[in-house]
Amino acid sequence: MTASTTAVATAQTLTSVNPATGAEIAEWPVHDEVAVADIVARARVAASVWRDLGIDGRRKALLRWNSYLVNHADELCELIHIENGKTTEDAFLELVLAVEHTDWAAKNAKKALAPEKVSPGMLMANFEAIIEQRPLGVVGVIGPWNYPIYTPNGSIAYALAAGNAVVFKPSEHTTSVGNYFADAFAKANPDLPLGIFTTVNGFGATGGALVKSGVDKIAFTGSTATGKRIAAVAAETLTPVVLECGGKDAAIVAEDANIAAAADAIAWSSMANSGQTCVGTERVYVVDTVADEFIAALKAKLSTVKPGSDAKATYGPMTMPSQIDVVRSHIADALEKGGRAVLGGLESIKAPFIEPVILVDVPEDSLAVAEETFGPTVTVRSVKSVDEAVELANASKYALASSVFSKGQGMEIARQLRAGATSVNSVLAFAAISGLPFGGVGDSGVGRIHGKYGIREFTRAHSIARQRFAIPGMELLSFSRKASTVAIIRRVIGLRHGRHK
Ligand code: NAD
């Protein structure tokens, strides 16, 4: 396996393994602080070439990268399958979404970054006022393992399209996939210098070194705990951050919902990728008149779902062994506090696989409702009204995304939810629509990726005020200003602002 970096790494290595079998996939040298600094310095040189290529040149390079990825889809999806554990079909869906985002960013950067003229206002009428967007320079992207290309690419593609170089630290659990992704960019663009999109490899310490390396922004996707640590370290150098953190997404099922469709969508959203989806449904609030019907439909659907690593598996193993203990503790806590398992239970844990678990009557202060489980479990609570559902959905410290099922009031309910995104009569739809910004509120994060907000997240606004002509006798920004000028302004300002009743 090749790495898109050429820097020296330390003697320490990390071994990437297949989570279903424990078989070794590859060994990667770990980059220490010195190696990270070296790679960031090279990226800084490459960044100016990439910036000077202009939006059209960058668009072509990004689309060539997409073609490379699509033309090597089988190889990449097999690598995602063996390193992350998800099925090759799910890996392919992830790849499709990633290339769609890159395509959008490449083709919409011109519009998103177009210079904008604004009115100079009455006092400055002799000026032209323009906002231009500049790339930041080098963006450090730190990624998780659950969607090893789609998730970090929400930062990578948009930062590249905005004219930045990117140094990417893939999760230690999906290092081979991360390096394949970056190598693909270099292979698709052999005429460009190395270092426009490159990787640093290692554990948390390598990510920490990237945060301290002097990059112009850190785009992090991962757990809330790590996000907070990164924000604290970045604050020391005032390095800006975008943080895409954990979630505890709720789905609301109203009385007028299409129950079969809601159960089908929620079954998939809560269990796909072994429930290791930041915007997967973890809590359901269903209005009591339709609760039994909904739970029966959800149970029927999930009874046919089976994890595994063979071609028949619906989803794969838990990627990270330690996450199995988290899931176990959440199920145990829910059952101890009076919750009931209507499908599965503790016996569903057959490491590294976990079969679907549906929990009902689980108190709101239990781990399975309050904390991110990140496994194939879902809690369902029957509520008296949609208002109660909204109140409980909004009570979480997390506020990443949500979904609403209702034939008549979907939009009305969606507008009351504290979340960065909501799907109405569907799940996760916002994540597949490139033009929609993506990001959380509260413990779910800061900032937005995707869409024009996602491109702007990786630029700085540069305001330019150009004096078109001088107005004799009206020098405001000068020691030559006359008392008579101020007297005129005093009168005009009185007329403009002093008469509101
Ligand atoms: P994690 O926080 O353990 O690790 C994420 C990345 O941070 C890894 O690359 C890791 O090596 C690095 N890291 C760890 N400590 C660090 C430190 N001190 N400084 C710098 N980097 C450090 O998260 P994970 O287990 O890989 O991912 C799962 C989490 O990611 C879940 O909470 C999930 O909800 C979240 N997630 C969020 C989104 C989103 O868009 N909001 C998307 C996917 C996953």
Side-chain angles (χ1 to χ4, degrees), residues 143-145 169 172 207-208 220-223 226 244-246 278 372 438:
W145 44 264
K169 209 297 274 173
E172 52 272 38
F220 166 79
T221 308
S223 65
T226 307
E244 299 291 341
C245 301
C278 56
E372 185 180 48
F438 182 98

Side-chain angles (χ1 to χ4, degrees), residues 378-434:
V378 65
T379 65
V380 183
R381 184 186 178 100
S382 156
V383 289
K384 292 209 161 31
S385 64
V386 161
D387 286 348
E388 187 187 351
V390 168
E391 196 181 317
L392 291 171
N394 287 347
S396 176
K397 64 185 173 186
Y398 295 107
L400 189 53
S402 49
S403 48
V404 172
F405 293 85
S406 165
K407 286 180 193 145
Q409 327 156 56
M411 291 302 285
E412 198 184 315
I413 301 168
R415 291 193 178 105
Q416 298 175 57
L417 288 171
R418 178 174 174 267
T422 303
S423 298
V424 177
N425 294 326
S426 178
V427 285
L428 273 71
F430 47 80
I433 300 174
S434 305

Side-chain angles (χ1 to χ4, degrees), residues 170-310:
S171 165
E172 52 272 38
H173 300 286
T174 48
T175 304
S176 309
V177 173
N179 282 273
Y180 188 103
F181 200 48
D183 283 344
F185 179 88
K187 284 182 180 156
N189 292 288
D191 297 338
L192 290 175
L194 282 176
I196 292 169
F197 172 27
T198 185
T199 54
V200 291
N201 300 315
F203 301 90
T206 303
L210 186 58
V211 178
K212 286 195 249 171
S213 67
V215 289
D216 301 287
K217 186 154 194 165
I218 285 287
F220 166 79
T221 308
S223 65
T224 300
T226 307
K228 287 179 179 176
R229 275 198 286 278
I230 286 176
V233 174
E236 288 169 22
T237 46
L238 279 189
T239 302
V241 291
V242 49
L243 303 173
E244 299 291 341
C245 301
K248 190 74 195 172
D249 286 6
I252 292 179
V253 182
E255 197 174 25
D256 69 341
N258 177 332
I259 298 298
D264 183 71
I266 290 169
W268 181 77
S269 166
S270 54
M271 305 296 161
N273 206 32
S274 314
Q276 304 168 125
T277 303
C278 56
V279 286
T281 304
E282 295 214 355
R283 302 176 285 155
V284 181
Y285 298 104
V286 51
V287 171
D288 51 11
T289 46
V290 292
D292 288 347
E293 185 189 349
F294 171 78
I295 292 167
L298 185 65
K299 184 175 171 180
K301 190 85 212 170
L302 288 177
S303 300
T304 65
V305 163
K306 288 274 172 290
S309 58
D310 56 353

Side-chain angles (χ1 to χ4, degrees), residues 10 51 69 76 138 172 178 216 234 280 302 338 340 373 377 421 431 442 480:
T10 55
R51 181 197 60 206
L69 291 168
L76 174 55
V138 179
E172 52 272 38
D216 301 287
L302 288 177
R340 285 185 300 122
T373 307
T377 72
S480 327

Side-chain angles (χ1 to χ4, degrees), residues 463-487:
S463 300
I464 302 179
R466 182 179 71 83
Q467 182 167 262
R468 293 183 295 137
F469 53 88
I471 307 178
M474 283 296 286
E475 296 84 1
L476 274 187
L477 310 174
S478 160
F479 289 126
S480 327
R481 188 175 58 221
K482 296 192 182 66
S484 58
T485 306
V486 177

